[in-house]
Amino acid sequence: MINTFLIITLFIAQSVLASPLSDGALRLIQVGNEIGSRDVVLRGQSLLLKGAFDLKDIDALYESSKQVRNGNDLMGYPPLERKANEILIRLVKQSYDPALYDYGLYLLDGEGGFVKNEFLALNLFEESFKAHSNADSAFIAAVIRNESLVPGTKKTQRIDELLTFAILNKVRGAQEYQDEHVKSGYWRSLSVSNWKDWLLDQ
C-alpha cells in the first residue's frame, strides 16, 4: 500500500500553503529530478510520506496526492489518477481548502477522472470562499453564477459580493470580468473549453 504512495513527479508549482516539512520534501524531489538522482528523489518521497502518514501533516498528504496523480519518469512510477482522487476526496471531506479548489476545477472541466458537475463545483467553490475566504474560489463561483452554468444561481447581489471580494483581493481577471461581462450593460457569454486554462490565462 505504501509503495502506491511513493509515486512522485517533478513538482513545479509548489503550494503557497505548504507546511515546512512538505515544502522541504518537495524541494528534494524537485532537485532530485533536475539532477537525475533517484536517491535524492527517494529521500524527498520518504520525507513527504512520513509527514503525510506518520505526522498527519495535511499539507504533505495533499502534496502526495498531486505527486501520485502525475507519476515520475525518473523513478519509473506511472500516474495513478484513481489513488490520487481517493486522497483528494479524503481531504475534501476535511474541508481542506486547496483540495476543495482542485476538486472544484476537476468537476468544472470534467477532468482528472471526475465526471463534469457544475453544481457540485459551485458548492465546493462557495464552501472554499465561506470557510477559508479563498478569493480565487469567490471569483470562479461568481463566474459560474453569472454564466448560468448552474440554472437558478444567477443572483446579481451574490455575484457582486463574490466579485467584489475577488477584486479587493486582487484576483487576476476579476476586475476585467466584472467590466466586460457584468457591468457592460449587455450579457456576453464566455466560451470556455477548459476552465483551468482560462483561469491561467487571466
Side-chain angles (χ1 to χ4, degrees), residues 104-200:
L105 279 181
Y106 285 133
L107 290 170
L108 200 54
D109 285 323
E111 292 182 347
F114 296 105
V115 176
K116 192 170 191 167
N117 187 331
E118 291 97 342
F119 178 74
L120 182 53
L122 176 60
N123 286 333
L124 290 164
F125 291 127
E126 294 266 2
E127 180 183 344
S128 173
F129 167 62
K130 288 177 191 172
H132 306 284
S133 300
N134 186 323
D136 291 310
S137 292
F139 176 44
I140 300 171
V143 172
I144 292 171
R145 285 175 174 275
N146 193 59
E147 298 296 316
S148 297
L149 297 181
V150 179
T153 61
K154 188 168 182 173
K155 298 176 181 172
T156 307
Q157 184 176 348
R158 182 62 172 162
I159 292 167
D160 287 342
E161 175 190 352
L162 293 165
L163 276 176
T164 300
F165 185 80
I167 291 165
L168 289 174
N169 284 279
K170 303 189 184 328
V171 173
R172 289 183 313 155
Q175 183 67 63
E176 292 80 3
Y177 181 83
Q178 185 182 56
D179 294 342
E180 295 174 17
H181 297 275
V182 178
K183 291 187 172 179
S184 63
Y186 59 94
W187 188 68
R188 289 177 47 201
S189 177
L190 288 174
S191 180
V192 177
S193 58
N194 185 287
W195 287 98
K196 190 173 185 179
D197 291 343
W198 181 79
L199 288 166
L200 289 172

Side-chain angles (χ1 to χ4, degrees), residues 6-75:
L6 285 174
I7 298 164
I8 307 296
T9 189
L10 171 60
F11 190 74
I12 298 170
Q14 297 181 16
S15 171
V16 176
L17 302 174
S19 67
L21 184 145
S22 61
D23 190 46
L26 290 171
R27 271 184 272 176
L28 280 173
I29 293 166
Q30 182 175 356
V31 168
N33 277 293
E34 288 173 355
I35 65 174
S37 171
R38 292 169 55 92
D39 185 53
V40 174
V41 171
L42 192 56
R43 285 182 198 169
Q45 292 172 343
S46 298
L47 184 59
L48 198 60
L49 291 173
K50 180 178 178 62
F53 298 104
D54 293 344
L55 303 177
K56 308 297 184 204
D57 183 329
I58 197 165
D59 293 323
L61 186 60
Y62 171 69
E63 297 300 345
S64 295
S65 78
K66 295 181 89 168
Q67 303 290 317
V68 168
R69 182 175 302 281
N70 294 309
N72 184 289
D73 292 335
L74 178 65
M75 301 301 287

